[in-house]
C-alpha cells in the first residue's frame, strides 16, 4: 500500500468512527454533541476520500446508507428461528391469569419477574449482523419467510451499519420494530397532500409502505426509526441470563432499545406498569397499542416454551379502544350491494389514537333511534385497531340548541327511486336492484372479489369508472371489455389494461362455488355457495330447485331458500347468467358430497382463530367444508378442533379451558391430506 493510500485509509477509518459515534449520539441516544454543520463537514471529507480512493469504500461506511438502484423485487428470506407472535390480554385481570398459568407450569407460586415494554405499533424486522456488520434485514412475513428489505433498512439512521463495543458477536440476529414517529408521520402526510397523492391512515401503514418501496431513496426520505427488543440467535458471545440483560447488551452494541422498558415483579406490578404506560401513551413520540410483558429469565422462557406460534412466557396487553369527542356535522346515506341504506356520520375531524377520523358508521336507522343522535350533537367516537370507527354515544347534557333531527331519506341517494319503509324492519332498502348504479357497482365489486371470481387488478376505483362511463351495466359485460377501452380510463395504461384483460380471461376457469357466491344472491355467503354446489353439483339443478329442495341442504333455512329461488326466477338474472356462460365461464365437475365423508375431518366441527400463514382463513374454511367439516365462529363444548394461527387470542384460552383439541396449521394440513 502506498504511503498516500495508507494515510487516506487511516483518515477514512477514523472519520467513519467519529461519524458513527455522532450518528449514535444523535439518533440512538438523542444527545447530539456536535452541530449538524460539523457533521456535514466530516461527512463530505469522508466522501471525498472514498471518491479519490475507491478501494477504501466499504458497505458499512456512513456514506453508503442510501443505494441509488431500485430493486426489481424483494427476495425471500427464511428465518432460521421463526419470528413469533404474541397472545393478547385485553384487560388487566388477564395479566393475573397469565402469571398464574406460568406459576402453575413452573410449579412455583412465587411472584414472577417480568420485563415490560411498550408494544410498538410498527413493523417487526430482523437484522442480521456478521462480525459486527449489518448484512441483511428482513420483514417478519408469515413468521417463517419474510422479504429482504436490507436496502431500505440501511437508510434508517438508528440502525447501525457497524456494531460498537468490545463484545461484538460473530453472528447476531436481532429483532425489533420499525416505526415512523408521529412527527415524521405528520410531515410525511403533509408532503403527500402537497403532492396530491394518498395520505397514510396511520404511522404503521406509513412505516410498512416505506419499507415496501423498491427504491431505497424513497425509504430514505421517511424518518423511520427502530427499537430492538429481542435476540433471534447469536454465535460467539454468551447469551445474557435475563431479558433485561439482553436489552442492556443490545444497547452496548449501539442498537436502539426502548428506554421505557422496565423490570417488575408480580402481576400487580405489571398491571401498574400498564396503567402508567396508558397514561404516558399520549406523550410518547410514537404510537403504541399496548404493553408487551415478558418473563425476564431466559432459562424460564425456555422452560415455558411455546404454544402454536406464541410463546407461553410473553403476552401483549392491548389498550382498550380509543375514544374521542367530536361533533356530528351531518349524515350521509350510502347504498350497499343489496340496496341496504346505511347512515354514515360526517364528523368534525378528530384524532382518535393518532388517526384522524371524519366519518363513522351509524349502522342502520334503528341505531340512530337507539342513540337518539341529532345533527350538531357532540358525540363520542371510538375505534379499536383497524376497525371502522363508530359513534359510541351522545353527550346529551351538551346537546346544542340547534340540534336537528336526522331525517330518513325518502329516495335512494343514488338512483332516486322511492324507498319503502316496512314496519318492523331495521334495514331500509333501495329496490331498484342493478338499475341503481350504487348497487351495480357493489355487485360488480363483489363479483370480482377474492372469494368470488378473484379478478386481480379490478379495483374499486376501476369498477366505479366502468359503471360511471356506462361501459358495464352488468357483470357479464366485464368480459366484453376491450383493452383499448380499459387503457383510456384514469390511472390505467396499456399495460395495466392488458393485465386486467388477462385476469378476466383467467377468471373464466373457476368453480361452481365461486360462481354462485359471485352472483351475490342475498344471504348466500361462500359456505352456502359451497353447500349448494356440493349438493346439487350443477347450476341447472340449483336453478330448477324449488324452495323445499333447497331447504333440504344443510344450513339453508326458509329465508335463504326463498332468496335463492327468487333470484333464479328473475328474467334479468337469468340473462346475465347466460351471458356469463356464453362468455366462456366454466368450472370443473363438482366433487359430490358423499365423497367427503371419507375424510378424517368429515362431520367434525372446527374453529379457526388467529392469522394463518399457509392458507388464508377463507381457504382453510373452504378446504374443511369441501371435506365435510363444519366451521364455526365460536368455541363451545361441541368444538372438535381449534386451529390456532398467529396472535390467537381469547378463543385459544377458551378452547384450552374447555379441553378442545388445539392444533396448528401444519397439523390441519395433515388432517386434510
Ligand atoms: S416481542 C416472542 N416486543 O408485536 C416475542 N414484540 O404481537 C415476539 N411488537 O410481531 C415479539 N412491540 O411486531 C415484542 N416490545 C415488543 C414489541 C413487539 C411491538 C410487535 C411485534 C410482534 C407483535 C406480536
Amino acid at each position: 500500500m502506498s504511503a498516500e493510500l495508507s494515510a487516506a485509509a487511516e483518515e477514512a477509518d477514523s472519520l467513519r468512527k467519529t461519524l458513527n459515534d455522532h450518528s449514535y449520539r444523535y439518533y440512538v441516544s438523542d444527545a447530539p454533541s456536535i452541530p449538524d454543520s460539523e457533521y456535514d463537514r466530516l461527512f463530505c471529507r469522508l466522501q471525498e476520500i472514498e471518491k479519490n480512493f475507491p478501494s477504501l469504500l466499504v458497505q458499512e461506511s456512513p456514506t453508503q446508507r442510501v443505494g441509488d438502484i431500485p430493486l426489481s423485487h424483494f427476495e425471500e428470506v427464511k428465518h432460521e428461528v421463526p419470528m413469533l407472535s404474541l397472545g393478547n390480554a385485553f384487560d388487566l385481570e388477564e395479566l393475573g391469569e397469565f402469571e398464574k398459568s406460568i406459576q402453575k407450569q413452573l410449579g412455583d407460586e412465587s411472584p414472577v419477574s417480568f420485563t415490560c415494554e411498550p408494544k410498538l405499533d410498527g413493523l417487526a424486522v430482523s437484522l442480521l449482523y456478521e462480525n459486527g456488520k449489518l448484512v441483511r434485514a428482513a420483514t417478519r412475513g408469515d413468521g417463517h419467510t419474510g422479504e429482504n428489505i436490507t436496502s431500505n433498512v440501511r437508510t434508517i439512521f438508528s440502525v447501525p451499519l457497524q456494531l460498537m463495543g468490545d463484545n461484538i458477536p460473530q453472528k447476531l440476529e436481532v429483532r425489533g420494530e420499525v416505526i415512523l414517529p408521529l412527527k415524521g408521520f405528520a410531515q410525511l402526510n403533509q408532503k403527500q397532500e402537497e403532492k396530491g397523492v394518498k395520505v397514510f391512515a396511520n404511522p404503521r401503514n406509513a412505516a410498512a409502505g416505506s419499507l415496501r418501496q423498491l427504491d431505497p431513496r424513497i425509504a430514505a426520505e421517511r424518518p423511520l426509526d427502530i427499537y430492538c427488543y429481542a435476540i433471534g440467535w447469536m454465535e460467539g458471545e454468551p447469551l445474557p441470563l435475563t431479558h433485561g440483560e439482553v436489552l442492556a447488551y443490545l444497547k452496548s452494541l449501539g442498537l436502539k432499545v426502548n428506554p421505557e422498558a422496565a423490570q417488575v415483579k408480580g402481576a400487580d406490578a405489571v398491571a401498574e406498569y400498564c396503567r402508567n404506560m396508558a397514561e404516558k401513551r399520549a406523550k410518547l413520540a410514537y404510537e403504541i397499542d399496548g404493553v408487551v410483558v415478558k418473563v425476564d429469565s431466559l432459562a424460564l422462557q425456555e422452560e415455558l416454551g411455546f404454544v402454536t406460534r406464541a410463546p407461553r412466557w410473553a403476552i401483549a396487553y392491548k389498550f382498550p379502544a380509543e375514544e374521542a369527542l367530536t361533533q356530528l356535522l351531518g349524515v350521509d346515506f350510502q347504498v350497499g350491494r343489496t340496496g341496504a341504506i346505511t347512515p354514515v356520520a360526517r364528523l368534525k375531524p378528530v384524532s382518535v389514537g393518532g388517526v384522524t377520523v371524519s366519518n363513522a358508521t351509524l349502522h342502520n336507522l334503528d341505531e340512530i333511534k337507539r342513540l337518539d343522535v341529532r345533527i350538531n350533537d357532540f358525540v363520542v367516537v371510538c375505534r379499536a385497531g383497524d376497525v371502522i370507527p363508530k359513534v359510541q354515544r351522545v353527550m346529551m347534557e351538551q346537546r346544542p340548541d340547534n340540534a336537528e333531527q336526522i331525517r330518513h331519506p325518502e329516495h335512494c341517494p343514488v338512483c332516486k327511486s322511492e324507498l319503502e319503509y316496512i314496519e318492523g324492519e331495521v334495514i331500509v332498502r333501495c329496490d331498484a336492484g342493478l338499475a341503481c348504479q350504487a348497487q351495480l357497482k357493489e355487485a360488480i365489486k363483489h363479483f370480482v372479489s377474492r372469494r368470488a371470481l378473484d379478478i386481480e387488478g379490478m379495483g374499486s376505483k376501476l369498477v366505479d369508472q366502468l359503471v360511471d362511463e356506462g361501459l358495464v351495466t352488468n357483470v357479464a359485460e366485464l368480459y366484453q371489455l376491450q383493452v383499448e377501452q380499459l387503457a383510456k380510463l384514469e390511472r390505467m395504461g396499456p399495460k395495466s389494461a392488458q393485465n386486467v384483460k388477462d385476469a378476466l380471461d383467467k377468471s373464466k376457469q373457476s368453480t361452481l362455488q365461486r360462481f354462485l357466491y359471485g352472483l351475490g344472491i342475498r344471504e348466500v355467503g361462500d359456505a352456502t355457495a359451497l353447500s349448494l354446489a356440493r349438493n346439487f353439483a350443477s347450476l341447472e339443478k340449483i336453478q330448477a330447485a324449488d324452495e323445499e329442495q333447497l331447504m333440504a341442504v344443510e344450513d339453508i333455512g326458509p329465508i335463504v331458500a326463498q332468496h335463492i329461488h327468487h333470484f333464479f326466477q328473475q328474467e334479468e338474472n337469468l340473462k346475465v347468467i347466460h351471458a356469463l356462460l356464453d362468455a366462456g365461464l366454466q368450472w370443473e365437475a363438482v366433487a359430490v358430497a358423499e365423497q367427503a365423508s371419507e375424510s378424517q375431518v368429515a362431520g367434525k366441527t372446527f374453529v379457526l382463530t388467529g392469522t394463518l400463514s399457509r392458507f388464508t382463513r377463507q381457504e382453510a374454511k373452504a378446504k374443511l367444508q369441501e371435506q365435510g367439516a363444519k366451521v364455526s365462529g365460536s368455541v363451545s363444548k361441541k368444538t372438535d378442533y381449534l386451529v390456532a394461527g398467529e396472535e390467537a387470542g381469547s378463543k385459544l384460552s377458551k378452547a384450552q379451558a374447555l379441553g378442545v383439541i388445539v392444533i396448528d396449521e401444519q397439523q390441519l394440513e395433515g388432517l386434510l391430506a
Side-chain angles (χ1 to χ4, degrees), residues 57 261 331 439 470 535 577 612 639:
L57 196 59
V331 174
Q439 289 176 65
N535 278 274
I577 292 173
L612 305 180
T639 311

Side-chain angles (χ1 to χ4, degrees), residues 46 51 87 130 296 386 399 480 489 492 518 522 535 573:
L46 177 60
K51 194 170 149 225
E130 283 176 3
D296 204 28
D386 283 338
R399 173 158 283 168
Q480 313 306 328
L489 298 170
M492 293 291 281
R522 259 175 74 183
N535 278 274
N573 292 339

Side-chain angles (χ1 to χ4, degrees), residues 208-253:
S210 308
L211 290 181
R212 252 183 242 123
Q213 297 287 337
L214 291 166
D215 186 346
R217 286 167 295 195
I218 301 179
E221 281 175 12
R222 315 237 170 119
L224 298 166
D225 203 348
I226 193 168
Y227 283 111
C228 297
Y229 49 60
I231 291 178
W233 50 275
M234 179 160 78
E235 287 171 22
E237 281 291 324
L239 211 55
L241 298 179
T242 65
H243 182 66
E245 286 169 25
V246 166
L247 296 179
Y249 175 56
L250 294 178
K251 194 171 169 195
S252 79
L253 296 173

Side-chain angles (χ1 to χ4, degrees), residues 443-463:
I444 297 175
K445 288 173 197 173
H446 176 78
F447 183 80
V448 305
S449 68
R450 280 255 303 273
R451 282 143 76 184
L453 277 287
D454 192 18
I455 300 169
E456 223 175 291
M458 184 70 80
S460 169
K461 294 257 156 59
L462 180 57
V463 173

